[in-house]
Amino acid sequence: ALSKPLDEAFSLWKQLLENPGIPQVRSPEQTVSSLQLLGSLYRLQDKPIQGLQSFLLLRALCQRLGDPLGTANSLRQLCRILLQLGCASQAQVFLEELELCLGQEESPE
């Protein structure tokens, strides 16, 4: 019952972000923060699958916005949840993506 509002919020975010490109929202930064909060609340409620789904949406949004730090943060959260679930090989995929993301952030322009 407590997760019903979170599930509704997730459903709305998913609908908004299913189309390619940057979503038409008032504040992309606030949208990023909202998705971070959604994923964290799911983790606190011990709903790791929903947390994974939220952080996957966050990763996609941050990539669209050209936000490498936001992308890196979402990848870190994905790795954390997968490791907690004992899914090391799946976490490795996101860890490699995280390393690439951080490498791009450090490279001079």
Side-chain angles (χ1 to χ4, degrees), residues 49-81:
I49 302 304
Q50 291 89 338
L52 282 171
Q53 292 171 328
S54 298
F55 287 116
L56 285 168
L57 278 180
L58 177 61
R59 179 188 74 165
L61 176 61
C62 289
Q63 288 172 333
R64 291 180 199 177
L65 294 173
D67 178 2
L69 292 178
T71 302
N73 182 51
S74 63
L75 290 166
R76 182 182 62 84
Q77 294 290 346
L78 288 165
C79 289
R80 184 176 180 183
I81 294 171

Side-chain angles (χ1 to χ4, degrees), residues 36-51:
Q36 288 171 335
L37 183 60
L38 183 66
S40 296
L41 288 171
Y42 273 130
R43 283 188 54 238
L44 287 172
Q45 287 192 349
D46 198 28
K47 295 187 175 275
I49 302 304
Q50 291 89 338

